[in-house]
Amino acid sequence: MDMRIVEQTVEDTQCDALVVGATYKKVGKQANELVLVGRAKEVDSLLGGLIQSVYDDGEFKANLGELLTLHPMGKLAAKRVVVVGLGAQEKMNTQSVRRASAIAARSLQHTGAQQVALALHSEEWNIGLDEGVRAEVEGALLGLYTFKKYKHSDTNGNGPGVSRINLLGTHANEVLLDQAVNHGIALAEATNFARDLVNEPPNVLTPSELANRASAMAKQFGLECEILDRTEMQELGMGGLLGVAQGSVEPPKFIILRYRGAAQGGEKGIALVGKGITFDTGGISLKPAERMHEMKGDMAGAAAVFGAMHAIAALKPAINVTALVPTTENMPSGTAYRPGDILRMMNGKTIEIVNTDAEGRLVLADALSYAVKEGLSPIIDVATLTGGIVVALGSVMSGLFSNDEAFGKEIIAAGQIAGEKFWPMPLDEEYGEQIQSDIADIKQTGGRYASAATAAKILEYFVGDAQWAHLDIAGTDFFDAKKPYQEHGASGVAVRTLAELVLKRAKETIYNS
């Protein structure tokens, strides 16, 4: 995608579609008033008040994501003007811009438009100009995302789609806007990279192929990459990962990526740990057939971590970050691990197996133990871990568990910048009572009730004294249906939140040094 800042007036901007934004404000209990600022106001003036007129007629209300297409009839160089609603002025934020930009770009993708000019940002909003531009860029690239590589032909019949996006800027803020564009591109491309991984079919994205993709990405961005095989895992005592892998003919992998942005001799840095189950049948405790095909996405945590490393490496913050991904399939077979087994994790602790479909906590236990052994802190793990979090939070928010309240708030704040929602969940000591075992250190599950909390409690058992947070993304990693701003399939959730957190920490380190 060719995307850049251009210095042009709205009148002289040649393109297939010029996109501007509109908000509304309440002027009474039942009355709203259209608000046009910046380029939208200029366009309305050049069109003789047409946007205002259509609003007054009730054909356009400026609700978030609502689209109005106008034909300028030679009054502008643009072939058409698309006005996208940004919602209520008092509620508008960067997520409003991101969502509106995605909806507009996605809609234009199906109209034959190839060259698009975006002019949603404005210095008159109550958000930073760079933040607005970044959200505008992210939204457009996220909205244009599709996964069609296995379709025999394009069935849209609308031509090649959007191939170039210009953002209207001014010379006075050229450097700031260029930085914002590059930031937005890096985050969106990283998110789409993660989406590609999750959307791949499981016969293609095996543990070995996931390792190959991680290695190729590392080579592209200059990351250090190490991939451990079964023999090396045995030497390390990774009984959780090896136990889950027993039932599959596909060999397990333990993938390590290292980004070294800090000066030598500094802190070892942050650990990002991602669950990488490339297909989850449930093992001996077999899942129902309905929707099992979606279990190719049980490696969305791994995808999020790799996507975050993609963005971090592109933006080059002065901080060290290590990604750890245990990856395998969870399959039933004559060699599969069983309910009743006891597995010994890398840190020497034992787990009694109750249900082989609770495999994620086993592979993560080894990865968390590895992070502790390496002296990494803080540690953030990301996983499609429990159905319980879906029951609790649905598909609106991801669950956040942490042994440090301030750290949890830091992640939530990063999510707000990224447009991703996380809700703090409890880790009270009483939940630990549900995972007590008579024959091992702990049980693998605590039963149906509070299942998301007891699963997180198991993970906490392997983080030692490190600052730690667990993100359960089981309800937010995948969209069941197409939306105006999102393709059906992987969401790429947590990529941008993790990247924003790392970038903020890097800035604070520089400021405090």
Side-chain angles (χ1 to χ4, degrees):
M1 175 66 66
D2 184 2
M3 181 176 283
R4 65 187 69 179
I5 294 285
V6 298
E7 296 174 29
Q8 288 181 319
T9 65
V10 291
E11 186 175 10
D12 297 328
T13 300
Q14 293 185 344
C15 57
D16 295 317
L18 170 64
V19 181
V20 296
T23 64
Y24 66 83
K25 66 179 180 181
K26 291 188 178 297
V27 292
K29 288 186 177 180
Q30 296 182 333
N32 295 331
E33 179 181 284
L34 182 68
V35 179
L36 299 174
V37 299
R39 301 300 168 79
K41 190 174 182 180
E42 292 178 39
V43 169
D44 190 49
S45 177
L46 290 166
L47 297 181
L50 183 57
I51 301 174
Q52 182 69 58
S53 177
V54 173
Y55 179 86
D56 291 340
D57 288 342
E59 296 179 42
F60 176 72
K61 300 182 185 299
N63 292 322
L64 181 58
E66 185 181 3
L67 298 174
L68 169 66
T69 300
L70 302 172
H71 296 276
M73 304 298 288
K75 295 179 181 179
L76 280 73
K79 292 181 181 179
R80 78 195 86 166
V81 172
V82 174
V83 186
V84 58
L86 293 165
Q89 186 180 36
E90 64 271 19
K91 294 181 179 180
M92 201 185 76
N93 53 28
T94 53
Q95 179 65 354
S96 306
V97 179
R98 189 181 289 109
R99 183 64 55 85
S101 180
I103 291 171
R106 190 166 175 79
S107 175
L108 288 168
Q109 181 84 322
H110 302 291
T111 65
Q114 296 182 49
Q115 185 168 320
V116 174
L118 292 180
L120 291 175
H121 55 277
S122 172
E123 294 180 87
E124 298 180 53
W125 290 342
N126 192 29
I127 57 177
L129 181 59
D130 58 333
E131 294 173 348
V133 170
R134 192 171 70 204
E136 192 174 10
V137 170
E138 285 178 34
L141 294 179
L142 294 173
L144 290 171
Y145 174 83
T146 59
F147 188 79
K148 306 292 186 187
K149 64 187 290 186
Y150 296 104
K151 291 182 74 69
H152 181 64
S153 61
D154 181 9
T155 57
N156 292 328
N158 293 312
V162 177
S163 59
R164 179 172 180 175
I165 297 177
N166 291 333
L167 291 97
L168 301 192
T170 62
H171 181 70
N173 51 39
E174 182 180 359
V175 174
L176 179 69
L177 295 189
D178 280 341
Q179 291 175 343
V181 169
N182 291 335
H183 193 146
I185 290 173
L187 293 178
E189 287 184 344
T191 303
N192 290 339
F193 172 76
R195 286 171 162 180
D196 278 345
L197 292 176
V198 179
N199 284 330
E200 283 284 6
N203 61 317
V204 172
L205 198 81
T206 61
S208 295
E209 179 58 18
L210 182 60
N212 290 339
R213 303 261 179 121
S215 177
M217 188 268 286
K219 185 176 182 181
Q220 176 186 355
F221 288 102
L223 298 171
E224 295 176 19
C225 179
E226 184 179 3
I227 299 170
L228 307 185
D229 60 19
R230 193 188 300 270
T231 300
E232 291 165 305
M233 295 175 211
Q234 289 169 342
E235 292 173 354
L236 288 169
M238 291 184 169
L241 177 53
L242 291 169
V244 176
Q246 284 176 204
S248 175
V249 296
E250 293 288 342
K253 302 291 180 182
F254 189 81
I255 307 166
I256 306 166
L257 299 182
R258 293 186 178 90
Y259 168 79
R260 301 187 189 274
Q264 289 186 355
E267 294 183 355
K268 292 189 176 181
I270 300 171
L272 304 179
V273 178
K275 174 186 172 186
I277 304 297
T278 59
F279 194 75
D280 181 18
T281 66
I284 296 296
S285 306
L286 193 67
K287 292 178 181 289
E290 184 180 4
R291 302 189 71 170
M292 192 192 283
H293 65 283
E294 294 179 1
M295 289 302 100
K296 68 178 186 177
D298 210 19
M299 39 62 65
V305 165
F306 288 147
M309 295 298 283
H310 188 294
I312 291 163
L315 295 170
K316 296 179 171 55
I319 195 169
N320 294 330
V321 186
T322 300
L324 304 172
V325 169
T327 179
T328 183
E329 293 181 330
N330 185 25
M331 301 289 283
S333 74
T335 59
Y337 81 122
R338 297 149 292 223
D341 285 356
I342 294 179
L343 302 181
R344 188 177 299 276
M345 305 299 108
M346 179 180 165
N347 68 351
K349 294 177 180 177
T350 56
I351 296 183
E352 176 191 357
I353 305 305
V354 177
N355 182 338
T356 64
D357 193 23
E359 82 297 328
R361 61 207 69 184
L362 300 176
V363 302
L364 288 173
D366 281 334
L368 294 170
S369 299
Y370 190 94
V372 170
K373 182 183 177 183
E374 289 280 298
L376 301 169
S377 184
I379 303 170
I380 306 173
D381 76 76
V382 190
T384 48
L385 202 64
T386 66
I389 205 68
V390 185
V391 174
L393 301 177
S395 60
V396 176
M397 293 188 176
S398 301
L400 185 153
F401 300 82
S402 181
N403 60 5
D404 186 307
E405 184 178 354
F407 185 45
K409 289 180 178 179
E410 188 180 351
I411 295 171
I412 290 171
Q416 289 172 341
I417 295 172
E420 297 176 333
K421 297 180 179 181
F422 298 87
W423 190 257
M425 300 292 288
L427 267 178
D428 295 63
E429 291 183 9
E430 289 85 347
Y431 291 116
E433 296 172 5
Q434 293 177 229
I435 58 171
Q436 291 180 359
S437 169
D438 293 330
I439 57 175
D441 291 322
I442 53 173
K443 285 193 300 186
Q444 176 203 27
T445 72
R448 178 182 178 187
Y449 298 108
S451 60
T454 56
K457 203 68 183 172
I458 290 170
L459 298 183
E460 187 185 29
Y461 207 67
F462 296 90
V463 298
D465 296 327
Q467 190 181 49
W468 161 77
H470 159 60
L471 308 182
D472 194 336
I473 61 170
T476 54
D477 66 307
F478 197 86
F479 285 88
D480 291 332
K482 288 184 179 181
K483 296 181 182 291
Y485 56 87
Q486 163 77 48
E487 183 81 352
H488 166 261
S491 67
V493 70
V495 170
R496 299 190 307 282
T497 295
L498 295 175
E500 291 288 1
L501 177 76
V502 168
L503 292 168
K504 183 174 181 295
R505 284 222 162 192
K507 288 179 181 178
E508 290 176 350
T509 300
I510 293 173
Y511 179 79
N512 294 326
S513 62

